[in-house]
Amino acid sequence: MSDVFDFALDALSPADDASEEAMDTFWAGDLTVLAQHHTAPNGSHSFVLAHDRSVTWGVPGEPQLVTIAVARDLSRSTFTFETSYHATASFAQSWLVERGCPPERIALGGGDYVKPADGLTVQVEQQIRQSGTRYEVLDTCASDYDPSETWTLARASRASQAPVRVFHEEWDHDAATYTMREGAFADVGAAQTWLEERSGPLPEPPEYSDHDGAVVRARIARIALARSAGASGMPKAGLDAPRTAPAEPVQRPVQGRLL
């Protein structure tokens, strides 16, 4: 990991107002780079996944991961600059992949990160990373407190049944592992009710079962760990309700996957 940002933009100008505004408001001082990729040989594109430490001082529940995509048009001496915030690394990686970053270049793994607890976690994360525009993110929440978790509420455009999905990620401090699960709901209201009440297990998506009703999870567990792209490391998060700002800025302890 590194805190160094060098987009090599000194000789270039913003290509549009959105890029100029994004560059003007960009502040690297609070960011820790988790993964980055710069194209070669001419360096036309840069992709960065980082953790924003300043979020831990702010409103509970805000996403802590930021992605940055820079595209340079060297023939015109211009650049475009995009940023986006995400609750989980897999959705952050999906955003970068959709903009042309090879997924293996922004994989997070190795000794600095905790590991997926099981094969289903690996499979769900791979599904998100490769989803493209399949999921429309509706809401997110991140919690550094117990339970240390995140959730992402999304609408699955290709789902014929239960199109509203909750991706729930929870970190086990003692085991230094995390799980990611996908739940399916008929509408946003039902998903929000589950998030608020947690009155039962997360409902599995209909596609998890084949025509005989057998759960596909067993097959997923056998193959997913062998295909693992590595752990996706970041501070854990979850439901902090109600979402109201504290009277004074209070730093929340980072209990993430960074070891």
Side-chain angles (χ1 to χ4, degrees):
M1 292 181 293
S2 169
D3 294 331
V4 177
F5 288 84
D6 183 7
F7 296 121
L9 301 178
D10 291 344
L12 306 179
S13 302
D16 49 43
D17 292 341
S19 296
E20 183 174 12
E21 181 179 358
M23 192 64 189
D24 288 344
T25 57
F26 178 73
W27 173 248
D30 292 323
L31 303 184
T32 299
V33 177
L34 302 176
Q36 57 183 318
H37 171 61
H38 306 277
T39 57
N42 59 3
S44 60
H45 291 78
S46 291
F47 306 94
V48 177
L49 170 56
H51 174 230
D52 187 344
R53 300 185 298 273
S54 70
V55 176
T56 64
W57 291 89
V59 178
E62 291 301 300
Q64 300 180 11
L65 293 174
V66 60
T67 47
I68 305 161
V70 178
R72 306 172 191 83
D73 187 337
L74 302 180
S75 65
R76 299 183 179 181
S77 298
T78 61
F79 69 88
T80 59
F81 194 98
E82 292 182 88
T83 65
S84 182
Y85 274 82
H86 313 268
T88 64
S90 49
F91 273 98
Q93 290 163 327
S94 174
W95 189 90
L96 292 169
V97 170
E98 181 66 14
R99 281 153 182 77
C101 183
E104 67 276 7
R105 296 294 185 178
I106 49 169
L108 303 179
D112 289 338
Y113 303 98
V114 301
K115 300 296 187 286
D118 51 29
L120 183 56
T121 295
V122 174
Q123 179 67 16
V124 173
E125 288 193 308
Q126 288 178 341
Q127 172 184 308
I128 294 170
R129 280 192 290 267
Q130 300 167 4
S131 63
T133 59
R134 174 180 177 180
Y135 298 116
E136 176 193 1
V137 174
L138 306 175
D139 196 10
T140 66
C141 194
S143 173
D144 297 322
Y145 297 110
D146 291 331
S148 185
E149 63 176 13
T150 72
W151 55 257
T152 298
L153 178 64
R155 191 183 306 277
S157 61
R158 302 176 192 171
S160 58
Q161 302 179 58
V164 176
R165 301 298 165 92
V166 169
F167 293 92
H168 179 257
E169 186 182 55
E170 187 168 7
W171 194 64
D172 185 333
H173 296 275
D174 295 332
T177 61
Y178 68 96
T179 59
M180 171 74 86
R181 295 292 186 262
E182 178 184 6
F185 300 86
D187 52 50
V188 172
Q192 291 174 331
T193 298
W194 185 89
L195 288 168
E196 292 170 0
E197 299 178 357
R198 309 293 178 99
S199 56
L202 193 61
E204 291 182 342
E207 58 267 26
Y208 275 34
S209 298
D210 61 22
H211 296 298
D212 297 324
V215 178
V216 176
R217 186 191 296 110
R219 176 170 56 85
I220 292 174
R222 288 197 300 270
I223 65 173
L225 285 177
R227 299 168 52 198
S228 174
S232 57
M234 254 338 287
K236 301 319 309 134
L239 182 63
D240 281 308
R243 285 197 189 181
T244 56
E248 297 179 0
V250 177
Q251 186 176 27
R252 292 175 283 135
V254 178
Q255 298 179 339
R257 296 188 212 157
L258 303 182
L259 302 180

